[in-house]
Amino acid sequence: MYLPIDPQPSCASAWLHATRAVNQRHGHEAQNVIIDVVDPLIVTDDDKIITYLVDHYLRDSGKYPVATVANTIFPQSIFARHGSPAFYEVYKNKILPRIAKDGWGRYFDRMISFPLQKKGTYLNPLEDIVEKMKKQNSGPKCFRNVYELTVYDPIRDAGPLMNRQCLSFLSFKLTEAPARQLLLTAMYRNHYYIQRLLGNLIGLGHLMRFVAGEVGVEVGSLTVVSTHADVDCPSSRREDVNKLLEDAARVGA
């Protein structure tokens, strides 16, 4: 059972079409929703309005705004201020201590800090992927399909049933030269489409821009697989969600 969403040009458009499709399903939920964003970096005037509508609804409901959700995947402002590789340490030393310890909001921490068998030692999987891609992209032969990043941790996540990470896995791909692009497929075990999806898409786009920029390739498409999708209702009023989608649809029609 799966629900494919027609490829959409931008993150906001993808959010709108995917959320409307799932909202029409029984229980406002679906299994294995497949979303494809042609250009996760493009932001049109309509996209800005849709993002504003979602952000306004989330803030009124006492939930995290879109930008905060996006920053859990990639801290764009920290990278813009400090650059690579300095921003890794800035994030770990200055940002991470201020983030809640329950697991949510720490996706980027998992991408750059994976504990090794020797106590107190860590691998930076994201930096490792970037360095491998750089070498492959500039070499005579390029391995294009070997860049995987696991967010799920069986040590930290196998026990508790609540407050676990929802983003589970990232798979980066490079297309063929000469117009080489970076592709990304992200898998979510559970996905709240009102509170999280738009911010997730934007954050994944920022992550792609960082990796592509470091490697020296263009940003390609973003694919997200929500193994369970839920059009949640932060205000506890289903009519508020329906109005949000109606207002966004009028903009994105």
Side-chain angles (χ1 to χ4, degrees):
M1 181 184 298
Y2 70 99
L3 175 60
I5 307 301
D6 290 339
Q8 297 298 317
S10 67
C11 290
S13 179
W15 171 83
L16 175 59
H17 283 77
T19 305
R20 292 182 73 192
V22 175
N23 195 50
Q24 294 171 0
R25 292 295 181 101
H26 176 73
H28 313 288
E29 62 179 349
Q31 306 288 341
N32 298 316
V33 183
I34 303 173
I35 304 169
D36 193 71
V37 185
V38 176
D39 185 348
L41 301 182
I42 192 172
V43 181
T44 67
D45 289 341
D46 286 350
D47 293 336
K48 292 177 183 177
I49 296 173
I50 291 173
T51 302
Y52 170 80
L53 291 172
V54 176
D55 206 51
H56 184 71
Y57 172 74
L58 291 175
R59 291 176 186 272
D60 281 354
S61 302
K63 303 302 181 181
Y64 291 113
V66 173
T68 299
V69 176
N71 283 333
T72 64
I73 294 174
F74 188 79
Q76 179 62 35
S77 61
I78 303 301
F79 170 67
R81 193 175 308 133
H82 299 279
S84 178
F87 85 118
Y88 291 126
E89 292 302 319
V90 173
Y91 176 85
K92 287 192 288 188
N93 295 328
K94 295 186 177 181
I95 304 302
L96 193 59
R98 304 203 299 261
I99 298 177
K101 303 297 184 182
D102 63 1
W104 187 86
R106 300 168 68 91
Y107 292 125
F108 189 68
D109 172 42
R110 293 194 177 202
M111 294 181 202
I112 66 172
S113 183
F114 190 87
L116 299 177
Q117 288 184 333
K118 183 178 178 181
K119 189 175 181 179
T121 60
Y122 295 86
L123 171 71
N124 185 331
L126 180 59
E127 186 176 43
D128 184 61
I129 284 175
V130 167
E131 293 305 313
K132 286 178 179 176
M133 262 191 208
K134 280 183 183 179
K135 292 179 181 178
Q136 291 298 312
N137 186 48
S138 60
K141 181 180 179 180
C142 179
F143 286 88
R144 298 183 289 113
N145 307 304
V146 294
Y147 312 103
E148 313 285 80
L149 201 161
T150 299
V151 181
Y152 172 82
D153 183 341
I155 302 299
R156 288 178 282 187
D157 300 324
L161 296 179
M162 301 295 293
N163 294 323
R164 289 172 46 197
Q165 76 351 296
C166 291
L167 174 60
S168 297
F169 191 74
L170 299 170
S171 181
F172 297 89
K173 299 288 188 288
L174 292 171
T175 63
E176 292 184 356
R180 183 159 283 152
Q181 293 183 327
L182 176 75
L183 310 179
L184 174 60
T185 300
M187 179 173 287
Y188 283 80
R189 68 165 181 86
N190 188 57
H191 218 167
Y192 290 135
Y193 273 22
I194 300 297
Q195 292 187 61
R196 303 285 189 256
L197 177 58
L198 182 54
N200 290 158
L201 294 172
I202 293 171
L204 291 168
H206 291 167
L207 175 65
M208 291 179 70
R209 178 167 55 194
F210 161 69
V211 174
E214 293 290 296
V215 175
V217 298
E218 297 298 318
V219 172
S221 63
L222 165 65
T223 302
V224 169
V225 180
S226 305
T227 58
H228 176 258
D230 179 13
V231 179
D232 50 309
C233 188
S235 69
S236 299
R237 288 164 46 92
R238 181 57 59 179
E239 54 265 37
D240 292 342
V241 171
N242 293 336
K243 184 178 186 305
L244 169 65
L245 294 177
E246 290 169 3
D247 292 344
R250 281 194 289 270
V251 175

